[in-house]
Amino acid sequence: MSYDDLIEVTGRVNDFLNAGSVLSWDARTMMPKGGAESRSKQLATLAVAARNLLCSDEMKRALDGAARDVAGKSDDSPEARIVAQVREAIDYHERIPAALLHRKTELGSAAHEVWADAREKADFSIFAPALTDMVDINREMAHAIGFEAHPYDALMYRFEPGTTHEGLATLFARLRDGMIPLVRAISEAEKPRSDFLFRDFPEDAQMGFALDMAKRIGYDTDRGRLDTTVHPFEVSFTRNDVRITTRVSRDYLPMSLFGALHEAGHAMYEQGVDPAYTRTPLATDLVSLYAVGGVSFGAHESQSRLWENHVGRSRAFWANHMGDIRVAYPGLLDDVDEEEFYRAVNRSEPSFIRVEADELTYDFHIMVRCELEAKMVDGSLEVADLPEAWNATIKDYLGIDVPNDGKQGVLQDVHWSSGQIGTFCNYTIGNIMAAQLFETATRTTPDIHASLDRADYAPLRNWLTDNVAQHGRRFSRDELLEKATGRTLDPEPYLAHLTTKYSDIYALA
Ligand code: ZN
């Protein structure tokens, strides 16, 4: 068999995964409640089919043939990378015993209801036994996958390859040093006016404006669409059909718009992948088994955060679009000027809920989760002691007292109920990468700043396509960063961005 055979068989894996993505898009946007049970079976069947095809004898024979065919190519050629990635993915999946995976899936579906009940009642003891089992299963998985220094490294590998517990600790310490003084100073500063964000904004107008702005920054709706959901997300079924969703709150304006800009950022990553990579492993994450072109979850998040925060929450953006938003909501924003609007959508205040946190305090919510997850996995924190550790860490970082273990506390996120441990770091890595890429783009291509000032988003978008999106999964996250910015992950541009922005908005000395 040959390299072409490998492309053919991995193309079929991509088809299974994309079919699953269509079903999951439908489940999250259109499906009536009653469809849930059979849908989860359908999704599991497709995921297992994809995994089995990946690890099949047919795939291995194709891989051997392909390895011979590409032997003369350079190590970073697309062909050599495809062969290496397929080999690595097969190796990863074969290390995890089928029985362990089965236990995790079974527990995941049972634990979800238990978690929802515990969260509703704000009673951690209801969820503790299921979480204990989940932590045990994840620890077993970490040992099966293998790691050098810390079991958490093995769990993060699936989402953010190359990230280690030790590296994360260093990164978090640096972020805290830079950010805690800002958070403390802001809590004592005068708050910007924000009353006008809480008026009655018709839902249709919100969806219309969100879509207009997503298109304006470059989201291609000939290859995409926007729908409404409870939890916004982006999903691609190849680069030619990349869908986004946002959520609408009638009495809170920013949610629908920034949700759409965020997801459009994810979408433009997928829409910008080299067309030649369609259906290949360079547009298929064979380790996490998602049909995506993004190189890591953090890299993906960098594109959404960049468009949401560095563009959508910038002063230039509101200087340009204040007129548009007044037209979208006739009479509702006549008493607000662009500077007031800019400040209002950048208010920062320590809060309890991750998904509602602002740009400055968001990362503290991530640090809490990563640190406590790692401790549970290595056994230095008992599950029973988790709520106390959670509350103490939130108090330490954000200076606030968590009122309960439910929606505002340790039970707020769905992730642990499905057994996902090791995924939270990608949000903070995305924030850091976004600032690093934006800083380089605007410094090395001076026209980008000028173009943003005149609401022309093409030069920035083109830079991101050339330096990030087009490569798909060809390079690792750090290789991509080195090529684009001359160095690996560096928190300094992010800290500089936050310091400059918030010192200005809150007139800090
Ligand atoms: Zn995102």
Side-chain angles (χ1 to χ4, degrees), residues 349-378:
E349 194 168 1
S351 61
F352 302 109
I353 302 176
R354 176 181 64 86
V355 298
E356 292 172 8
D358 56 71
E359 190 182 357
L360 177 61
T361 58
Y362 191 91
D363 296 296
F364 293 99
H365 295 271
I366 298 309
M367 293 180 209
V368 172
R369 287 157 176 78
C370 293
E371 288 169 356
L372 299 182
E373 278 186 344
K375 285 183 183 172
M376 288 192 290
V377 169
D378 73 21

Side-chain angles (χ1 to χ4, degrees), residues 232-234 262-263 266 297 300-301 304-305 308 426-427:
F233 66 94
E234 169 272 332
H262 179 100
E263 302 308 333
H266 280 299
F297 283 59
H300 230 294
E301 203 59 25
S304 57
R305 301 281 166 148
E308 177 191 356
N426 71 72
Y427 296 107

Side-chain angles (χ1 to χ4, degrees), residues 70-90:
V70 306
K73 303 250 184 205
S74 76
D75 278 354
D76 71 351
S77 66
E79 296 83 1
R81 287 293 165 103
I82 284 175
V83 167
Q85 286 179 19
V86 174
R87 199 184 297 287
E88 191 182 317
I90 293 174

Side-chain angles (χ1 to χ4, degrees), residues 142-201:
H143 285 278
I145 294 162
F147 57 87
E148 278 177 20
H150 196 282
Y152 199 52
D153 302 352
L155 299 177
M156 287 190 289
Y157 172 80
R158 184 177 164 204
F159 308 101
E160 207 55 40
T163 303
T164 62
H165 178 248
E166 193 190 352
L168 219 49
T170 309
L171 205 58
F172 286 171
R174 177 69 193 106
L175 290 183
R176 281 199 294 270
D177 272 357
M179 289 158 67
I180 286 181
L182 273 179
V183 172
R184 297 289 188 267
I186 285 172
S187 67
E188 281 155 24
E190 196 186 328
K191 311 259 174 289
R193 177 189 168 206
S194 64
D195 58 289
F196 48 83
L197 298 178
F198 299 90
R199 292 170 180 168
D200 185 18
F201 298 95

Side-chain angles (χ1 to χ4, degrees), residues 307 441 445 447-452 454-466:
W307 286 102
T445 315
D447 179 51
I448 290 179
H449 258 315
S451 61
L452 292 174
R454 53 174 195 271
D456 174 6
Y457 302 105
L460 176 61
R461 194 172 63 248
N462 293 338
W463 191 93
L464 291 168
T465 305
D466 292 348

